Amino acid sequence: MKLYDYVLSGNCYKIRLFAALLGIPYETVAVDLYPGKEQTRPAFLRLNPAGTLPVLQDGDLTLTDSSAILTYLARRHDPTGQWCPQDPELLAQLVGWLSFADDLTRTSGAARLHAIFKKPIDSVAAQKGAHALLRRLELHLCDQEFDDSSFLLGKAPTIADIACFPYVALAPDGGVELDGYAAVQRWIYAIRKLDGFLPMPGIHPLHEHPDKPLPEGLNARLEA
Amino acid sequence: MINEIALNDWYPVAMASELKPGCRLNRVLMEREIQISNDGDKTHAFEGSRVLPLQIRYDHVWTSLGAPARPLFEIPEGEQDGRRLVACGRVHVRCSPLRAVENFLDIAHFPYVHTGILGAEDHPEVERYDVEIDDEKDEVWARQVKFFQPQAAKSAEGGIMADYMYRVPAPTTSILYKTCPARVGEWDIITLFVQPVSETTCDVWPWMALYDDETPFNDLVQFQQTIFMQDRSILENQIPALLPLDPKMETPTRADLTSIAYRRWLKRRRMFYGAQTIAA
Ligand SMILES: N[C@@H](CCC(=O)N[C@@H](CS)C(=O)NCC(=O)O)C(=O)O
Ligand SMILES: [Fe+2]
């Protein structure tokens, strides 16, 4: 199995994270999204006419959307069905969250690309959009906590959590601070605590020695 | 405040590879808008109608808003045959340009910020090393730096004790000489070229000159982007945003030797753009 990957892409990270949690082996092909804009070149467009990452190839199958890839990997590699439940009500909710995840890419993800690479977009509108989504997420997660559930669909994580996680946790990269969203921060922590969790630049692993203080000057972004 | 010292230095403003014939780039250098253009023959830099000095070195375009007092620093090793030259593009950071350089010089953060790559939480110790301000060259040097690294470079297989030298040849440039996993006895070169956009924002242009014929180019770029994006999340949260140069404001616990020498050298050169010189 081959993942066309860019290390700073939140959508690629969804796949890397999920594969790590499930212990699925794969190779990566690094695509130079920035600064090379390799996704706009003919060779890449033949692979994915949409010109986006991630792309997953498994045998003859090529998948070009992160939610599609997560669904495929869950169905193929998770015999328990935990990560992509079959129950009609849960499955419907899950699909709703996958769509929510795309809204996060368009808002929080876009604000981040503007902040890091100066991608010319209306970043104020993107940040406002991200906050609107974070408020909805916060309310939902508060409700979940009343039911003793740490994750979007219940007590166990699903691919809904994996799809929404990157552009929530990376929001501060784009100037969207998470200070006011306590339940969201607890949810981020719960995901970072999962067995086999894989970090990405801007999303730190939990400290191996939480008892030992960090050197002064290193800040909240590592602790949170 | 932009003083003469800051004004008269050279700064990176583009990758040489971006300047396709006919293209025109808008940049902000120390709060002033400048243009870089290529007329198919040559590259030019302007502020309005004023022509700015320009040179292309180390895969980047360098310019100055003033009259550069000294030539651009030399990196002789970087121009040796057989090295892969890797320009990584630009990353915008909301921090003082001087803080971006200082963070690059400080190894103590490796185990916590670059966990599992440039440092390990179980090996946080920084052994003593030598730091000097080289008066003749007017540069800061740190030598004999040794640090345990789980993955010192993209080409490294397993953890090693990496040897480092740090060199600051200009206030907004930091050069790292590092154990080269692929060629014993040589140093890999990793630099941060920093373009001050304002006193509290900068564009960082990482550049590397490596002996590594194996690793695909994209993997080299993305290894460096990984490291720098880990730093970015820390840099954007530093308080105060400006780099404190008043000794009364120095936090003793974070007294990294190279940082102290760097701050002292900035003060001596009167490079205050991006610095806080009076206690707030
Ligand atoms: N719906 C797609 C969106 C993927 C997407 O936007 N990917 C970004 C990287 S995170 C990309 O490839 N951008 C390239 C471009 O916009 O030119 C998915 O979830 O896979
Ligand atoms: Fe760092």
Side-chain angles (χ1 to χ4, degrees), chain A:
Chain A
M1 204 165 71
K2 202 190 272 181
L3 176 68
Y4 291 81
D5 186 42
Y6 175 59
V7 74
L8 302 183
S9 149
N11 280 308
C12 293
Y13 172 58
K14 294 172 188 178
I15 314 308
R16 298 196 300 267
L17 172 59
F18 190 49
L21 291 170
L22 260 59
I24 308 169
Y26 63 99
E27 317 160 41
T28 54
V29 180
V31 178
D32 187 8
L33 221 66
Y34 182 83
K37 291 195 188 147
E38 198 177 332
Q39 78 279 16
T40 62
R41 293 198 220 135
F44 186 83
L45 292 172
R46 274 196 294 279
L47 184 68
N48 177 13
T52 58
L53 287 175
V55 175
L56 185 86
Q57 281 182 326
D58 193 9
D60 289 338
L61 178 72
T62 299
L63 293 169
T64 61
D65 177 85
S66 59
S67 297
I69 298 170
L70 289 175
T71 308
Y72 172 72
L73 293 179
R75 280 297 165 90
R76 174 122 304 195
H77 294 277
D78 166 32
T80 68
Q82 174 210 310
W83 291 94
C84 185
Q86 304 259 21
D87 171 79
E89 205 174 304
L90 286 177
L91 183 59
Q93 284 170 9
L94 185 139
V95 173
W97 285 112
L98 295 181
S99 159
F100 188 88
D102 285 337
D103 292 341
L104 284 166
T105 299
R106 281 188 282 272
T107 52
S108 170
R112 177 169 171 268
L113 288 181
H114 176 84
I116 303 173
F117 298 134
K118 303 205 172 161
K119 187 168 180 172
I121 55 136
D122 181 346
S123 111
V124 174
Q127 290 176 337
K128 268 176 92 171
H131 279 294
L133 295 173
L134 284 168
R135 280 192 296 273
R136 280 167 56 192
L137 182 62
E138 175 76 11
L139 283 176
H140 176 76
L141 288 168
C142 284
D143 280 347
Q144 291 294 93
E145 285 178 358
F146 276 112
D147 291 339
D148 261 340
S149 294
S150 304
F151 299 99
L152 290 174
L153 298 189
K155 293 188 190 344
T158 64
I159 56 172
D161 298 281
I162 304 304
C164 293
F165 177 68
Y167 286 116
V168 171
L170 293 170
D173 271 355
V176 176
E177 299 304 332
L178 296 174
D179 298 342
Y181 306 102
V184 169
Q185 290 188 29
R186 285 190 290 274
W187 171 74
I188 291 175
Y189 183 82
I191 293 174
R192 287 166 75 207
K193 242 174 78 174
L194 293 173
D195 261 351
F197 175 79
L198 180 85
M200 84 164 261
I203 305 179
H204 211 77
L206 294 180
H207 294 291
E208 287 157 37
H209 306 287
D211 43 315
K212 283 196 208 152
L214 290 175
E216 216 173 296
L218 296 181
N219 56 75
R221 195 72 191 272
L222 287 181
E223 295 279 15

Side-chain angles (χ1 to χ4, degrees), chain A residues 6-8 30-32 34-35 38 115-118 173 201 204 207-209 214-216 218-219 221, chain B residues 15 88-92 94 112-113 115 121-122 203 218-219 222 225-226 229 232-234 237 253-254:
Chain A
Y6 175 59
V7 74
L8 302 183
V31 178
D32 187 8
Y34 182 83
E38 198 177 332
I116 303 173
F117 298 134
K118 303 205 172 161
D173 271 355
H204 211 77
H207 294 291
E208 287 157 37
H209 306 287
L214 290 175
E216 216 173 296
L218 296 181
N219 56 75
R221 195 72 191 272
Chain B
M15 287 193 294
C88 301
R90 113 181 119 156
V91 174
H92 187 67
R94 282 173 295 152
Y112 309 99
V113 179
T115 319
E121 288 198 38
D122 288 334
D203 283 342
N218 291 356
D219 292 88
Q222 292 183 34
Q225 289 181 337
T226 297
M229 283 301 292
R232 185 182 182 274
S233 66
I234 303 308
N237 289 294
T253 37
R254 224 167 121 64

Side-chain angles (χ1 to χ4, degrees), chain B residues 103 109-110 113-114 118 227 231:
Chain B
N103 171 73
H109 76 278
F110 284 6
V113 179
H114 308 298
L118 301 185
I227 302 297
D231 288 320

